[in-house]
Every structure is written in structure tokens, then in C-alpha cells.
Amino acid sequence: MKKVLVLFVFLLSQTIVFGQVKFLNRFEVRQESYDPIFEIMRTELGLVSFRTLQPKSLSGDRVFQYYISDENLQSPGLVELPIRSNYDMIGYDTEGDRLYVLLARGQTANAPKYILEVNLRENKGLEFQAENLLDLNLVEFLVQNKKAVFMGTADARPVLQIFDLEDKSIHTVQGVYGNNTQVLQVMKVPDLETLEVVVSRKGQFRNRETLILTYDMFGNLVREVKVDQFGSTDQEILDGLLLADKNYQQVMIGSFGQNARGAHQGMYIMEINEFGEYKFKLYTLEDFPNFYNYLKENQKEKKDKQVEKELEQNKIPTIRNTYAIRDVRETEDAFYVYFDQLNVTISRGGGRPTGYSPFNTYRYDRLSRMGYAPYYMDPLITSNVMQNQLYNFTEYKYVSAHFAKIAKQGQVIWDNSATYQDFTTGYPEPFGEIAILGEDLYHAYLEDDQIIASFFRNGEKVFERLSFGLELENENERIRYSDLETLRLVHWYDNYFLISGRQSIRFLNSENKEEVKDVFFMNKIVLDGDLYQPEEKVD
């Protein structure tokens, strides 16, 4: 183990305030222009940021670097651990004070792999060889109770294996592998030492059915909830987010509609009791009177009249675009739900294939991973598709963000929405972040190098799509450029957010001469709706 202190610059100066955004603490790691960015995860010790690094461009040597940060982004220093030559990180997870990193030599499914267990308290690493596993195109890697979970695809079918780090036993989970099957979510349940797996597959009559499968850590099926009765005969679940298990009492929230017609109709809340029995509450545009609040007043009135007309004809109003669940925050008596409305278009060309329908993509644990998804984010992972092969390129045009507070008894307390102004991206993962603080809801994301924020209080829209640029605390420094592909904004806690990425900074050295430094940075910011002062209208 090697501790490196000279690469760090911790900036703790006067708080900078720009309207409703306060830039608080900033932390930097000096690096070369093409060094990989750090992945970030929450741990019981604070945030851990880590990466694999190739110090010399023509060498196969690698090191593993990480550092721990507290709530003020203060860190004791950068730690380096040696790793095997030509191995790079392809997956990661945390448990307690341990960080688990999956490393592979090469990009193929059958590449040799091993797991590095990092004791974050003692700064020590322990290696576990990962052998005799199926050759998978890896999608997810998790660790629970010294057992590693590998989820991926083999022969275009999903496979889930559990590998015991101590006795090297391997258990292949039954009920997941199959044609026309997608794994939508894998969730650890530490209290019960089980895994929850949400699976979507085509049923006997080509309709899609959803299964919620519970396995112990030896791959044994503990419970199966088969959702085969949902709404009317032409309605089905289109996506869903399974919430944390509470003594086998579960809740899943998502969108529903007519998949054959590509028509989204609204939101469902599914409650599952300890016996595996389930019931639904369905919500349509009739229940969300402020769904079209993202439009201008005359456009909203037109849409509201269309909804009223369809309701008078006993029709369920249709949501024109994809209506996708993004996040759910649970309180003692309510759910705060966040959906995005977006238009998904697929064309031929270059891009990274995901292997899943854009309507049913695998749902990463974005909360623990601070918004990062390893399959897409690790710059060392390349597509397994040959360079000269054509495949689909998916484009996402974001229309609006939708928020609602739903009482656990079922009633809609409030709903509202904010516009994206048709923001278009090829990035497949959700990027909008919400913060709930009392009766305040913040929505924020990055558009290029601008922070875009909206704020709601008691369900009322206070401001929408306000834009704030990235700033530096040091008056003698200027942002030369920000690497837009690496910039990320994620919710941290309360109404605090974290921005990270790669930047080039101009600054004056001790001799008052200009220099340039390339850094990976982390910036803690806070959104404060109380600072908002609406512009006065001029007669």
C-alpha cells in the first residue's frame, strides 16, 4: 500500500453564491489529460472515489487508486494499491467498510478475472481469483456477505451467478435464463441475506409478464411473485422500480400502458404482502391535473381539453411519449415519485448497444453509485461489437419531468411538471436528480456545463429551468474548459448535490505567471429555493 499526498489540492475558501446555487467545497486531483475519471460510491466511511490507472502509456502496469471524502470533501490522501498487469476495472460494489472491484484482462467475455477486496479502514487489498464462471457479457456486479453476484448475458439470454469468495462455490440462479427475457433490476437485501430480481419476459400469448423473484445467497428460489393479472387484457407493466424490502412487504412503482401500440397510459403502485399476494393502484392523466404544466398556458389548456374529451368518451388518455420511472423517495406516509417523458428514436449508425429495449433497460443502483453506471461510465470498457458492424443508435429527446406526492393510502396529494425544452442526448442512463427536504422538491441536471434547476414547494412550482454556470472559488483561477463527457451531477443528501468530472484550469503560480493544470474535481453545491427572487415585471 502506498499513500500519495502530493497530487491533492483541497480548496476550502469563501462560499460562492450564484442565485439559488451555492458552491461550497471543492476537491481536485491533478492528472494527465487522458487519465480515466474516478468512480464514486457511498460507504459508511463517507464517499469513496476510485479508478484503475496506467501510469506509463507503453506499459501494461496498472495501479488502483482511491480516496475517502467526508461531507466537506476533506480527505486524508490518495491511496495506491498494486494490481496485476493489463487488468482493468469492469465492475464494483461496496459492503460496509469494504470496496470490491472486479478486474479483467481484456474485453472479451471469457477474459481472466479476479476480485480485489479493499479494506477502506486499513488501506489493504486482498485478491480473490474469479474462476469457472460462465462467459458473460457483464451487466452487473454486486457483493453481499462475501458472495459476488455476476449478472450478464450469454447467447443473448440473461444469466445470474453467485460466486462464494471464500469456498469458491458457484451457484447459477434458475428462472432467469430464457428467450425474450430481460432482467430489469437486481437488488441486495442485506437484512434477509437475499437477492430481489425483477424479470420481464414474453408470456404464452406474447404479452409481457413481470416476475419478482427472491433468492437466497446460494441461488435457491425463496419466493416467486408472478404478475399475471394487471389492469385490462390489453394493458401491461412497461417499467418499474422495486423499493427496499420490509419484512417481505414490497412496493413497486412504474408506468403501464399498451405495449403493442407503444402507448403509455399512466402510473401504477403495486403492493405485495408477505404471502406474495399483490394489488394495484392505477393512475392516469385524470389523476394528474398538472401533467401539462410544463407547457405554455394556451398549449396546456388545449391538452387539458383533449384529456377531458377522452374521459367523457370513457377512454383512457394516452401519454404521447415514453413515460419512464426515474426515482421514488419514501417517507412514513407518502411516496414522492419522479418520471421523465421522453421520445426515444432508433436509427442505424455508430453507438454502444445496450442489449435491452429502451423501454426496459437494466436499472442500476444509482443511489449507492452516485449516479454512475459502470457499463457506460468506465472509459476502459469498449463495445464487444466489431468495429465494422452496423447496429442501432438510440437518441433520447427529453420532453418533461413529472413529480407527484402520493399518500400511502392512495390519494394524489399534488402533482406538477417541468420542461426539458426537448433536450436531446445519446446517453442511455437517467441523468435528472431530485432532492426532497420537508415539503420542498428540487430537480437538477447538467446540460453541457450548465446546472439546470427547478424548485417546487408544497407541489407549487416556484421556478423552472434556471441555469447556472460552473464556477471556481479561487479568484486567481479560471476554467479553461470542462470535459463535457465526464461531467456528472448527482444528489448527495438533503438539498446538497455533487458535481464531478475533468477540467483544465488556468491559474497564477507563486511567481505570478500563468500555468494550466488538468484535474479531476469534485464540487459540493447546495440548492436553496429561499434565495429565489422573481424578476419584477416592467409595465
Side-chain angles (χ1 to χ4, degrees):
M1 183 271 292
K2 176 181 171 187
K3 196 169 244 187
V4 182
L5 299 176
V6 296
L7 296 179
F8 277 83
V9 177
F10 176 67
L11 304 174
L12 180 58
S13 56
Q14 182 178 0
T15 298
I16 306 299
V17 180
F18 295 93
Q20 293 71 51
V21 174
K22 296 180 185 177
F23 288 76
L24 303 176
N25 314 112
R26 182 178 169 98
F27 187 79
E28 295 178 352
V29 180
R30 288 242 193 159
Q31 62 174 44
E32 299 298 326
S33 300
Y34 297 103
D35 286 349
I37 62 174
F38 285 82
E39 307 290 340
I40 306 173
M41 286 199 74
R42 305 170 191 265
T43 74
E44 61 184 33
L45 302 179
L47 298 183
V48 57
S49 306
F50 52 95
R51 67 182 178 184
T52 53
L53 179 67
Q54 181 179 345
K56 298 179 181 179
S57 59
L58 299 179
S59 171
D61 294 340
R62 303 284 195 277
V63 294
F64 182 75
Q65 295 182 330
Y66 71 92
Y67 59 90
I68 302 290
S69 307
D70 64 15
E71 288 186 355
N72 296 316
L73 296 185
Q74 296 188 52
S75 173
L78 187 71
V79 178
E80 284 190 358
L81 296 176
I83 58 175
R84 301 177 190 178
S85 296
N86 297 307
Y87 278 77
D88 291 306
M89 177 171 60
I90 63 169
Y92 53 81
D93 194 21
T94 59
E95 186 176 36
D97 61 359
R98 299 294 197 273
L99 169 64
Y100 293 91
V101 182
L102 178 63
L103 298 135
R105 188 178 67 198
Q107 313 298 333
T108 60
N110 62 351
K113 301 176 181 69
Y114 77 98
I115 298 167
L116 177 66
E117 179 191 73
V118 182
N119 185 323
L120 298 174
R121 293 186 187 275
E122 300 179 3
N123 295 326
K124 295 180 179 179
L126 182 63
E127 295 183 359
F128 297 92
Q129 193 68 31
E131 296 178 321
N132 302 317
L133 294 161
L134 293 175
D135 296 339
L136 301 179
N137 293 314
L138 188 70
V139 175
E140 179 66 285
F141 172 76
L142 301 170
V143 177
Q144 179 170 264
N145 194 24
K146 288 282 189 176
K147 295 178 175 63
V149 178
F150 294 80
M151 198 280 284
T153 58
D155 301 323
R157 299 176 181 89
V159 178
L160 195 151
Q161 290 190 299
I162 300 174
F163 175 72
D164 192 307
L165 299 183
E166 295 180 330
D167 65 19
K168 310 302 180 186
S169 61
I170 299 174
H171 305 279
T172 301
V173 169
Q174 303 300 308
V176 173
Y177 185 83
N179 293 324
N180 299 312
T181 301
Q182 294 170 316
V183 175
L184 304 183
Q185 186 177 353
V186 180
M187 182 171 62
K188 299 189 297 185
V189 188
D191 293 342
L192 302 175
E193 294 190 6
T194 59
L195 287 176
E196 300 283 2
V197 183
V198 182
V199 173
S200 176
R201 67 186 180 198
K202 285 188 178 179
Q204 183 178 359
F205 302 102
R206 297 190 65 80
N207 60 310
R208 298 203 72 86
E209 59 185 20
T210 301
L211 295 94
I212 301 172
L213 308 172
T214 304
Y215 297 95
D216 64 21
M217 295 309 294
F218 298 97
N220 299 310
L221 182 64
V222 177
R223 187 175 76 167
E224 174 182 316
V225 178
K226 184 177 181 180
V227 184
D228 52 7
Q229 296 179 9
F230 179 86
S232 59
T233 55
D234 60 345
Q235 292 176 329
E236 58 187 275
I237 291 173
L238 298 181
D239 76 351
L241 176 60
L242 185 67
L243 306 187
D245 193 306
K246 295 182 179 178
N247 296 320
Y248 288 102
Q249 304 280 336
Q250 295 172 296
V251 174
M252 184 166 157
I253 300 176
S255 64
F256 75 94
Q258 298 169 314
N259 195 34
R261 294 176 51 198
H264 287 68
Q265 295 178 325
M267 180 191 83
Y268 69 86
I269 298 179
M270 178 172 64
E271 299 173 340
I272 307 170
N273 64 22
E274 64 271 27
F275 304 108
E277 301 166 336
Y278 59 86
K279 59 181 180 180
F280 287 96
K281 300 183 183 78
L282 301 183
Y283 302 84
T284 68
L285 294 187
E286 182 179 13
D287 303 294
F288 299 133
N290 297 314
F291 185 91
Y292 291 110
N293 265 14
Y294 67 91
L295 296 173
K296 295 180 180 179
E297 189 60 34
N298 59 337
Q299 295 174 316
K300 179 185 182 303
E301 290 179 1
K302 184 178 179 180
K303 287 290 187 181
D304 287 342
K305 289 180 180 178
Q306 291 177 357
V307 171
E308 292 175 6
K309 184 177 180 180
E310 290 182 275
L311 292 173
E312 290 172 357
Q313 298 172 349
N314 293 320
K315 295 181 180 179
I316 298 178
T318 298
I319 299 171
R320 179 180 175 184
N321 302 293
T322 298
Y323 183 58
I325 182 71
R326 293 313 197 197
D327 202 354
V328 178
R329 302 293 172 85
E330 184 177 2
T331 65
E332 185 176 345
D333 57 359
F335 298 108
Y336 290 86
V337 298
Y338 159 37
F339 282 77
D340 275 337
Q341 184 187 188
L342 64 154
N343 184 21
V344 182
T345 58
I346 303 175
S347 60
R348 302 292 290 183
R352 185 190 297 277
T354 65
Y356 294 100
S357 159
F359 307 100
N360 287 312
T361 53
Y362 177 74
R363 189 174 298 282
Y364 285 95
D365 178 9
R366 287 168 49 79
L367 180 64
S368 296
R369 288 194 171 119
M370 302 295 287
Y372 287 64
Y375 182 79
Y376 297 109
M377 286 307 305
D378 196 318
L380 298 173
I381 299 176
T382 58
S383 171
N384 292 317
V385 180
M386 297 298 293
Q387 295 297 319
N388 60 354
Q389 181 178 346
L390 291 177
Y391 44 84
N392 292 331
F393 173 70
T394 305
E395 184 178 76
Y396 306 84
K397 179 183 290 186
Y398 282 79
V399 179
S400 52
H402 298 264
F403 317 98
K405 181 180 181 181
I406 313 292
K408 289 189 174 179
Q409 289 79 13
Q411 66 269 31
V412 178
I413 298 175
W414 59 257
D415 79 290
N416 220 317
S417 60
T419 182
Y420 279 112
Q421 293 187 348
D422 291 339
F423 173 65
T424 302
T425 179
Y427 183 65
E429 287 296 301
F431 56 83
E433 297 280 328
I434 61 170
I436 308 293
L437 189 62
E439 293 301 322
D440 292 348
L441 184 149
Y442 296 87
H443 177 242
Y445 62 97
L446 286 176
E447 190 170 313
D448 294 331
D449 59 352
Q450 298 292 306
I451 302 168
I452 308 297
S454 300
F455 174 56
F456 303 83
R457 174 161 287 170
N458 291 310
E460 296 294 325
K461 188 186 301 183
V462 179
F463 62 78
E464 176 183 32
R465 267 192 67 84
L466 293 187
S467 177
F468 308 91
L470 302 183
E471 298 290 343
L472 299 173
E473 294 94 331
N474 192 330
E475 295 181 354
N476 294 321
E477 295 185 340
R478 298 291 184 270
I479 298 174
R480 183 167 172 249
Y481 75 87
S482 299
D483 186 344
L484 302 183
E485 295 297 320
T486 65
L487 294 182
R488 295 291 178 268
L489 180 149
V490 294
H491 175 244
W492 192 352
Y493 65 94
D494 294 341
N495 54 334
Y496 294 92
F497 293 77
L498 186 73
I499 301 175
S500 63
R502 186 186 295 122
Q503 286 181 331
S504 180
I505 306 296
R506 291 188 292 113
F507 69 100
L508 296 178
N509 62 21
S510 57
E511 298 177 355
N512 211 31
K513 294 181 180 180
E514 183 175 295
E515 290 188 20
V516 174
K517 60 181 178 179
D518 293 323
V519 300
F520 173 83
F521 77 96
M522 299 166 64
N523 215 146
K524 181 181 180 181
I525 68 170
V526 62
L527 297 183
D528 189 348
D530 289 330
L531 295 177
Y532 176 67
Q533 295 182 352
E535 296 181 2
E536 296 182 2
K537 294 183 178 180
V538 180
D539 295 333

